[in-house]
Amino acid sequence: MPINWPNQVAFITGGARGLGRATALRLAGHGVAVAVNYSASAAAAEALAAEIVKAGGKAVAVQADVADGKAMEVAARKAEAALGPITILVNNAGIAWPATIESWEPEGYARLHAVNVVGVINGVRAVAAGMKARGYGRIVNISSVASFGTCGFPGNHFYAGSKAEVNTLTKRFALELSPHGITVNAVAPGFVRTDMTELGKTPEEWKALHDGFVAVAMTGRVGEPDDIANAVTFFAAPDSSWVTAQVLAVDGGRKDFIAHG
Ligand code: NAP
């Protein structure tokens, strides 16, 4: 894999924090210009873009709620005006929604679906025409091992369902876009230390959760954001032109769902 990928521009949704941030830094390390999308974390997005520029790279921060198709279109065109045509899209933005059968309610569910599923559709719609016209693109969607059904937090059924939809859309979009030189793949992370998994928990709750996931990982540890950025980088690489429609679990070898296929 070449260290510098020439003429590459990545648009990373939710790029200011967690897995998106690690991916932005990793791609910038390959010489990729990065549009750091954010919805609320303006300061973190600006700081990350400044960090990349300071290190000799190219980056801008672009605001858009991924659930808003028009805003995503505007953000993508803004990123292209600053950095050039988008060649890599990482649909990373996502939210968790710990609802059970009993606590399910329509507004929370609609927001979960709007961000985790419609957000992916909006991202693809904002870049597909340009990628098609140029005959080149790399799209990487961030799913979750929860999408496989029988693992993850108890009570995250609807989050798991949203990510299962991401897996299916990944394969369907690959079917449509791969003949145009655009690969579409997904990375399904296991349990990774980020705000999503850490915030709102006491140190004792975090430790119990952490130790539980360590116990079911063949590698004996939970993931770090760089573990996921590494897999995204593989799919995003110019050399990965014969890999499409794949969903790759990156979970340290989880043992608690394999038997269920
Ligand atoms: P995180 O630390 O909570 O960060 C979430 C990111 O998504 C933030 O950058 C946030 O940006 C962005 N975001 C949320 N809603 C958005 C919206 N409507 N529009 C634009 N951006 C939005 O979470 P993370 O752990 O890095 O998760 C990243 C992805 O990995 C998600 O899709 C998540 O479901 C998936 N995942 C995570 C894990 C894990 O263990 N951490 C496991 C499996 C899958 P703002 O702050 O600007 O809103």
Side-chain angles (χ1 to χ4, degrees), residues 14 17 19 39-41 65-66 92 142-143 159 163 190 192 194:
R17 299 192 283 121
L19 309 186
S39 62
S41 298
D65 177 342
V66 293
N92 163 78
I142 304 301
S143 175
Y159 171 83
K163 294 298 190 177
V192 183
T194 65

Side-chain angles (χ1 to χ4, degrees), residues 33-54:
V34 180
V36 181
N37 160 257
Y38 66 94
S39 62
S41 298
E46 296 288 355
L48 177 58
E51 184 180 335
I52 292 169
V53 170
K54 197 173 169 203

Side-chain angles (χ1 to χ4, degrees), residues 57-74:
K58 283 188 186 168
V60 287
V62 280
Q63 203 278 339
D65 177 342
V66 293
D68 180 340
K70 268 204 181 121
M72 281 293 283
E73 180 67 33
V74 170

Side-chain angles (χ1 to χ4, degrees), residues 147-206:
S147 67
F148 304 137
T150 53
C151 65
F153 299 103
N156 74 348
H157 315 315
F158 310 107
Y159 171 83
S162 75
K163 294 298 190 177
E165 200 169 340
V166 169
N167 294 353
T168 299
L169 289 177
T170 297
K171 294 177 187 196
R172 298 297 313 185
F173 290 170
L175 204 55
E176 180 170 337
L177 297 175
S178 301
H180 300 276
I182 305 163
T183 65
V184 188
N185 294 287
V187 173
F191 187 78
V192 183
R193 191 189 299 265
T194 65
D195 290 347
M196 183 177 276
T197 48
E198 221 168 359
L199 285 185
K201 296 179 183 76
T202 65
E204 294 73 32
E205 285 169 343
W206 164 258

Side-chain angles (χ1 to χ4, degrees), residues 151-152 191 209-222 251-258:
C151 65
F191 187 78
L209 201 59
H210 168 273
D211 292 353
F213 281 108
V214 165
V216 294
M218 294 176 199
T219 51
R221 68 171 177 90
V222 300
D251 63 356
R254 282 276 288 275
K255 296 180 283 187
D256 55 335
F257 66 96
I258 287 171

